[in-house]
Amino acid sequence: MLVLGDRPIGVFDSGLGGLTVVRALRASLPGTSIVYLGDTARVPYGVRSASTVVEYAKRCARLLRTHDVGCVVVACNTVSAVALPMLREMLDVEVFGVVEPGARAGLAATRSYRIGVLATRGTVVSGAYERAVTDVEPSATVVQQEAPLLVPLAEEGWLDGPVAGAVIRSYLEPFRGTGVDTLVLGCTHYPLFRRVIEEQLERLDLGNEVTVVDSAGAVAKVLVEAVGVSPGSGSLRIHVTDLPSRFREVAARFLGDSVDDLCVQQVDLQ
Ligand code: DGL
């Protein structure tokens, strides 16, 4: 078991979407403190090249290191897909990514071993989910689909209604005829659309029932096993590289809670 002592878990993401991972961690580990870094000055990472994402991830890791974190959770699927080996080499604490837990959650849910993944372009191009699934179950098939418009829709708060419904439907249509029975939401923003995704899957009628799983819930389970549940109430400190307008509104949407009382600080990354 990993002993955190008084040290917080460091969590970082390209922006505020990683607060969906913080939300899952706080629900499972209420006694553990968290230091969150959202690189809001450089979001989105999902459309950038792997080498740029690796460079950004290095800067985020350097900042978290100054907070004496006991371990690091890479909430961003895109960073987890392309920068995990570099981060594990660079940091002297354990580093948890979200792709492997997400892939395992998909494998736990599937019966047909045909798994769909919705993710950013960077994550899809990396093939990380496919590798994570077939490393465990070589006979499994992964069908990937990028869903870039869901990131701005989530930030605008268009979580349901006709636009979200139509966009989601068009991203789900390619899964028709593929036989997938499980869909992994492989991006920090997508859990906010879970209900509409489930609704649209039902409407599309892929020929079988599809179970939706997300990597946020999956990584929280991994952390519970790794650090154990401690009593008390942990703190949450949020660092951002830019304070966007409507920050509190957007952050609250991802966190599922008000951020008014939270300690939020703007930082520069070296
Ligand atoms: N945080 C990113 C991810 O989970 C989504 C947003 C972005 O493109 O930066 O892949």
Side-chain angles (χ1 to χ4, degrees):
M1 171 111 19
L2 175 60
V3 180
L4 290 178
D6 288 337
R7 291 176 302 169
I9 296 179
V11 180
F12 79 92
D13 180 44
S14 54
L16 300 178
L19 291 173
T20 55
V21 174
V22 170
R23 179 179 184 167
L25 288 172
R26 294 224 296 174
S28 303
L29 296 165
T32 303
S33 294
I34 294 174
V35 173
Y36 180 82
L37 169 63
D39 191 8
T40 43
R42 293 172 191 81
V43 69
Y45 283 10
V47 294
R48 303 190 196 279
S49 69
S51 59
T52 297
V53 173
V54 167
E55 195 43 49
Y56 289 173
K58 248 184 227 168
R59 297 186 204 178
C60 292
R62 264 187 226 127
L63 189 279
L64 285 182
R65 203 158 50 182
T66 66
H67 286 275
D68 191 27
V69 293
C71 66
V72 167
V73 174
V74 182
C76 182
N77 287 261
T78 313
V79 174
S80 297
V82 301
L84 219 48
M86 177 283 290
L87 290 168
R88 287 188 169 142
E89 188 129 308
M90 173 183 171
L91 293 167
D92 53 9
V93 292
E94 207 161 324
V95 179
F96 299 89
V98 286
V99 170
E100 208 185 291
R104 284 184 185 274
L107 280 165
T110 187
R111 297 161 305 280
S112 66
Y113 288 94
R114 301 184 71 81
I115 299 171
V117 175
L118 266 192
T120 64
R121 189 163 301 148
T123 302
V124 167
V125 168
S126 77
Y129 268 100
E130 194 161 19
R131 279 194 300 281
V133 166
T134 52
D135 277 356
V136 179
E137 183 48 67
S139 68
T141 301
V142 174
V143 183
Q144 303 188 94
Q145 170 65 38
E146 57 185 49
L149 288 177
L150 296 189
V151 172
L153 280 180
E155 290 179 8
E156 284 300 318
W158 290 32
L159 304 180
D160 46 26
V163 175
V167 169
I168 287 168
R169 189 181 173 89
S170 69
Y171 286 144
L172 295 177
E173 251 156 15
F175 291 114
R176 265 196 167 137
T178 61
V180 300
D181 70 350
T182 300
L183 182 66
V184 180
L185 306 184
C187 174
T188 49
H189 290 58
Y190 302 173
L192 296 188
F193 297 102
R194 197 187 178 108
R195 194 180 54 76
V196 182
I197 289 172
E198 285 172 343
E199 249 170 48
Q200 291 296 335
L201 280 169
E202 230 179 279
R203 274 196 211 169
L204 272 172
D205 190 12
L206 298 186
N208 46 288
E209 213 174 288
V210 180
T211 307
V212 178
V213 297
D214 66 65
S215 46
V219 76
K221 280 191 196 136
V222 170
L223 265 289
V224 166
E225 272 169 35
V227 305
V229 180
S230 49
S233 146
S235 63
L236 171 60
R237 279 175 291 157
I238 298 180
H239 299 267
V240 287
T241 50
D242 184 37
L243 259 182
S245 58
R246 300 192 302 111
F247 160 79
R248 291 190 183 275
E249 190 192 320
V250 178
R253 189 172 300 138
F254 288 117
L255 197 57
D257 204 351
S258 159
V259 290
D260 289 344
D261 301 330
L262 292 181
C263 164
V264 180
Q265 205 184 331
Q266 191 170 347
V267 290
D268 271 338
L269 298 184
Q270 307 299 322

